[in-house]
Structures are given as C-alpha cells and as structure tokens.
Amino acid sequence: MRYAFARAAAVGRRARDFGMRGGRPVGLERPEEQALLALLGEMPGWARHGELSGFLVRLADGFHDVYERCPALPQGEEKPGAVHAARITLAEAARIALSNGLKMIGEIPRERL
C-alpha cells in the first residue's frame, strides 16, 4: 500500500517535471485501467479496519498493474496525448484514495520510501 502510494506520487512529480498535467479520464480502455476505476468507485467510507485494509491491498495491486502496463508518461519518442493526461489523473485519484485510506488505518503516507 505504501509503495503504491509512493509510486502514484512519483507519477505526479515526474508529470510536473515534464510540464504535463492531468486531464479528463477519457481513453482509459485497457482492462487494468477499467479495473482500477472500478476499485476507486468502491472505496469504503468508514469501514472496519480489516475491511479497509483488504480494500487498500486490492487498490494498491490494481494501481501497480496500471503503473506497469499503462505508462502515464510518454515512452521514448512518443508524444504526450490525452490518454497520458487521463492516466496522470488516474494516478492522482489512486494517490488520494491510498493516502486517505492509510491515514484511516493509522499509517502516515510518505511520498518517498
């Protein structure tokens, strides 16, 4: 969970370094992206510690899948496009959800490990 939070925060930092910003979540069609969007929609409010911890593990796993298979930043000579902006926004949503969840279970989210 902590590593996923740190990775999501790193996406935002690198995007800013490249002068890129998030955008509307359009073009997120890959199964990994759709699964992460669905998980974000299931984020429990005030759940019991065990339920929330289990959810956060699933959310972290979902984010890792997206991070590894659907790059938020252009690779090589690729030009930044709308899908990259959408993936940056998706990473930010995961970062916020993980941050809130970690705080709710008594953890301090750290952007760098």
Side-chain angles (χ1 to χ4, degrees):
M1 293 179 285
R2 287 177 273 184
Y3 185 53
F5 172 78
R7 271 184 147 179
V11 168
R13 282 193 309 275
R14 286 194 301 259
R16 285 188 296 279
D17 290 346
F18 284 105
M20 295 178 63
R21 297 177 8 169
R24 293 184 42 199
V26 295
L28 300 177
E29 299 172 359
R30 306 257 326 248
E32 300 90 346
E33 296 164 331
Q34 291 295 309
L36 182 56
L37 283 169
L39 278 169
L40 287 166
E42 294 173 17
M43 178 84 180
W46 293 98
R48 291 195 316 260
H49 186 277
E51 292 172 0
L52 184 57
S53 293
F55 172 80
L56 292 173
V57 168
R58 290 192 342 262
L59 180 61
D61 287 344
F63 176 73
H64 288 306
D65 286 345
V66 169
Y67 181 89
E68 293 167 7
R69 295 182 179 107
C70 311
L73 302 176
Q75 305 292 300
E77 299 295 319
E78 185 180 19
K79 299 283 185 202
V83 72
H84 296 106
R87 288 174 179 164
I88 291 167
T89 299
L90 185 59
E92 177 65 6
R95 185 195 68 77
I96 291 168
L98 287 163
S99 174
N100 290 340
L102 286 167
K103 289 174 187 172
M104 289 172 70
I105 63 171
E107 293 281 333
I108 298 170
R110 293 179 173 82
E111 291 193 4
R112 297 176 194 263
L113 297 178

